[in-house]
Amino acid sequence: MQPHLSAALGQPLVVENRTGAAGNVGMEAAARAAPDGYTLFLGNVGTLAVNPTVFARTLRLRPVEDFAAISLVSETPDALVVHPSAPFGSVREMVAYARANPGKVNYGSPGAGSLNRLEMELLRELAGGLDMVHVAYPGGAGPAVTAATAGDVHGLFVTLSSALGQVQAGRLKALAVTTAQRVPALPEVPTMAESGYPAFVASSWQGLLAPAGTPAAILQRWHRLAEEVLRLPDVRHRFALAATAAVASPSPEDFATLIAGEGRRWGALAQRAGAVAE
């Protein structure tokens, strides 16, 4: 989006990556910026909806109170992927195998408090409580996907963009996607709902926010710019190459409602699963 936003604004727009603490370092820096529309935060379901519960002891802000929502910008399907040698070829077979072999199925994740870990916790709950072994890998989705590709773990939930190449190459098998509809990149892969879990709908979304106190007129201008850029064929094509959909919220208020609802949903699950950073 950056070059098109810069062109529309008539001035440079600099993307600054602030890594650390599962995104909390960048989020806290953005929240402390002046509320003048010149500093925005590109947040996601992890930083905005999961981290407030997982990092409750150390996080020095609350996204709903400390940011003003602008717009959703993307939704990326997550997928349940397994090593081709796994003794199951569908979600139903995986659940049946885990139920018959307690403690014998291990799954990876990008971190103990990550959305992908919570997605497996959700499946375990919906399946009536499965005894499975969690293996957390640091450093994002890459190490966990590498472990699954090597057969070190049976599988994991992961953003489709992080595993699509491995699935297409046959090094991983996708059992299901987490979105309400099948995804164009893997049209033969069923949804979790089609696999017997209609309550299982999730995605890794991202969106733009400004520091709390930013004037409504500025928020509305950024929302209009985001909508315009996300409609551009070039942007939609680039997103699609990464198995991601370009999606704008109808209004800043709609995005704020999404953040609050997702925070309640994943926060409650993180508490039930004991997914709290030490």
Side-chain angles (χ1 to χ4, degrees):
M1 296 174 67
Q2 183 266 349
H4 298 286
L5 287 171
S6 290
L9 291 166
Q11 60 185 19
L13 188 152
V14 178
V15 177
E16 181 180 356
N17 293 310
R18 292 280 192 98
T19 61
N24 290 344
V25 171
M27 180 164 61
E28 291 179 351
R32 290 194 299 267
D36 54 11
Y38 283 91
T39 300
L40 303 183
F41 176 58
L42 181 64
N44 58 39
V45 61
T47 52
L48 298 170
V50 176
N51 287 7
T53 297
V54 173
F55 293 91
R57 298 176 184 173
T58 57
L59 187 61
R60 292 171 291 182
L61 61 83
R62 289 293 175 263
V64 172
E65 292 82 13
D66 295 320
F67 282 107
I70 295 173
S71 179
L72 192 69
V73 300
S74 72
E75 285 190 311
T76 303
D78 291 327
L80 175 56
V81 299
V82 299
H83 191 270
S85 66
F88 33 77
S90 69
V91 176
R92 287 185 174 88
E93 290 178 1
M94 178 178 176
V95 169
Y97 184 88
R99 191 172 286 135
N101 298 272
K104 298 295 179 64
V105 175
N106 51 48
Y107 66 95
S109 82
S114 64
L115 173 67
N116 294 146
R117 187 267 173 98
L118 294 180
E119 287 172 326
M120 190 65 82
E121 294 294 341
L122 178 58
L123 175 59
R124 292 176 62 197
E125 277 194 1
L126 294 174
L130 300 176
D131 183 359
M132 302 167 68
V133 179
H134 174 228
V135 183
Y137 291 88
V145 171
T146 298
T149 304
D152 295 336
V153 293
H154 286 100
L156 72 159
F157 279 98
V158 67
T159 51
L160 183 56
S161 55
S162 298
L164 183 59
Q166 302 287 7
V167 172
Q168 292 174 331
R171 290 187 285 269
L172 289 174
K173 176 180 174 59
L175 302 188
V177 293
T178 62
T179 41
Q181 308 294 330
R182 296 192 183 197
V183 301
L186 296 172
E188 74 285 357
V189 176
T191 64
M192 288 296 294
E194 291 174 315
S195 302
Y197 297 92
F200 199 124
V201 178
S203 69
S204 293
W205 48 262
Q206 293 186 319
L208 288 172
L209 305 97
T214 301
I218 293 176
L219 299 176
Q220 289 292 345
R221 185 186 181 197
W222 273 113
H223 182 269
R224 288 193 299 272
L225 286 171
E227 275 191 317
E228 292 169 5
V229 167
L230 290 169
R231 284 197 295 264
L232 295 174
D234 172 63
V235 172
R236 300 183 75 85
H237 175 66
R238 287 173 179 267
F239 276 39
L241 289 177
T244 297
V247 183
S249 301
S251 69
E253 293 76 18
D254 281 282
F255 185 36
T257 298
L258 172 70
I259 294 169
E262 288 280 86
R264 289 190 296 270
R265 177 193 185 191
W266 295 114
L269 182 57
Q271 287 183 328
R272 294 196 300 273
V276 178
E278 297 297 333

